[in-house]
Amino acid sequence: GEDAMRIEIGPQKPEHFKTYWDGQYDLFSHFEYACGIPSALFMITTLKENGKPNACFGAWSSFTGDAGGYYAVIGGLNKNSHTWQNIQRTGEFIINFVSNDYYEHCIATIGRNGADEDEIVAGGFTEESAKTVGCPRIAEAFLCLECKLEKQVDLSGSAQLIIGKVGHIAMQEAYAGSLDAKYGESGFMFNIHAPKDLRTDEGKPSAVAVCKIVRINEEG
């Protein structure tokens, strides 16, 4: 049969893509909204220069590795962010995965990010000591990845790619099974970042998703 109709978009932002906030297409590529690819949401914790915890709600990342190491590949850090600056100084960070029950807690950290603010407390979270790095874990997180900076790449001047080597993980026991709480309403949250209707530009809202297992491959 004939190929399905495709909408083709190149490196220039389509003229009918509206700008909903100042600097939108400087901070994010128009492809971000056109593609609408979901990615896992998490809180990155680091330490500020004064020793107070910093907490950053983030996504745009992947987690992969082999026998030589497991890595957190953080693709969406801005050079002007406190998180990037803290990682430059300390070389350490923690990826904390929290469930959708804590979404409002995560959002609360965005507005309260002053230098003197303990952002874990500001978000209504509880601080927990890590095992291998100096920054704290979020106690409410069902999974924490303790990372040390391995490599960074300047992607475009403001967008920075950070690769952290995971040296230690901590999982809440209730989530420690294989196909369990991690993959449902109380598990991983995913960011669906303001996807657009490519024909009309409708689609200003963002959304949050969770996993639903639809097929199990018994052969492993």
Side-chain angles (χ1 to χ4, degrees):
E2 292 184 7
D3 288 344
M5 249 320 253
R6 289 185 184 271
I7 293 172
E8 312 276 353
I9 295 176
Q12 297 301 315
K13 178 180 76 68
E15 287 185 11
H16 69 287
F17 276 24
K18 297 184 194 72
T19 299
Y20 289 103
W21 43 274
D22 286 346
Q24 178 175 357
Y25 297 104
D26 295 325
L27 199 56
F28 294 103
S29 165
H30 63 284
F31 286 135
E32 166 84 8
Y33 307 102
C35 295
I37 300 168
S39 62
L41 281 162
F42 47 78
M43 298 294 292
I44 307 178
T45 49
T46 53
L47 274 185
K48 304 180 188 186
E49 202 161 3
N50 60 8
K52 298 260 179 137
N54 190 87
C56 174
F57 199 18
W60 307 286
S61 303
S62 63
F63 306 89
T64 186
D66 58 15
Y70 187 63
Y71 297 90
V73 182
I74 312 300
L77 270 188
N78 190 284
K79 199 172 186 176
N80 298 317
S81 69
H82 298 145
T83 296
W84 186 85
Q85 293 162 8
N86 293 342
I87 292 171
Q88 295 306 295
R89 193 181 64 258
T90 67
E92 297 180 339
F93 61 97
I94 298 176
I95 304 289
N96 303 267
F97 292 98
V98 297
S99 75
N100 182 47
D101 291 339
Y102 294 101
Y103 179 80
E104 297 302 333
H105 292 62
C106 298
I107 292 295
T109 66
I110 295 172
R112 297 183 58 183
N113 63 359
D116 293 329
E117 196 90 62
D118 179 330
E119 294 181 32
I120 292 180
V121 171
F125 290 116
T126 311
E127 196 174 310
E128 176 181 292
S129 294
K131 299 290 186 187
T132 62
V133 294
C135 44
R137 304 195 296 223
I138 290 175
E140 289 81 2
F142 64 84
L143 172 62
C144 302
L145 278 53
E146 300 182 9
C147 305
K148 294 191 176 174
L149 180 62
E150 181 87 2
K151 189 179 292 187
Q152 63 183 57
V153 180
D154 186 336
L155 293 179
S156 63
S158 61
Q160 302 293 310
L161 175 73
I162 297 281
I163 301 174
K165 187 169 187 177
V166 179
H168 186 86
I169 73 163
M171 180 87 75
Q172 287 183 359
E173 194 169 356
Y175 289 79
S178 55
L179 297 181
D180 65 357
K182 295 189 291 293
Y183 312 111
E185 290 290 332
S186 59
F188 291 106
M189 264 194 296
F190 292 85
N191 183 31
I192 300 176
H193 187 198
K196 288 183 177 291
D197 182 318
L198 301 187
R199 300 154 300 187
T200 65
D201 187 56
E202 290 174 7
K204 185 182 173 188
S206 286
V208 172
V210 294
C211 273
K212 176 187 174 187
I213 295 171
V214 295
R215 180 177 299 180
I216 295 174
N217 295 323
E218 296 291 354
E219 66 272 16

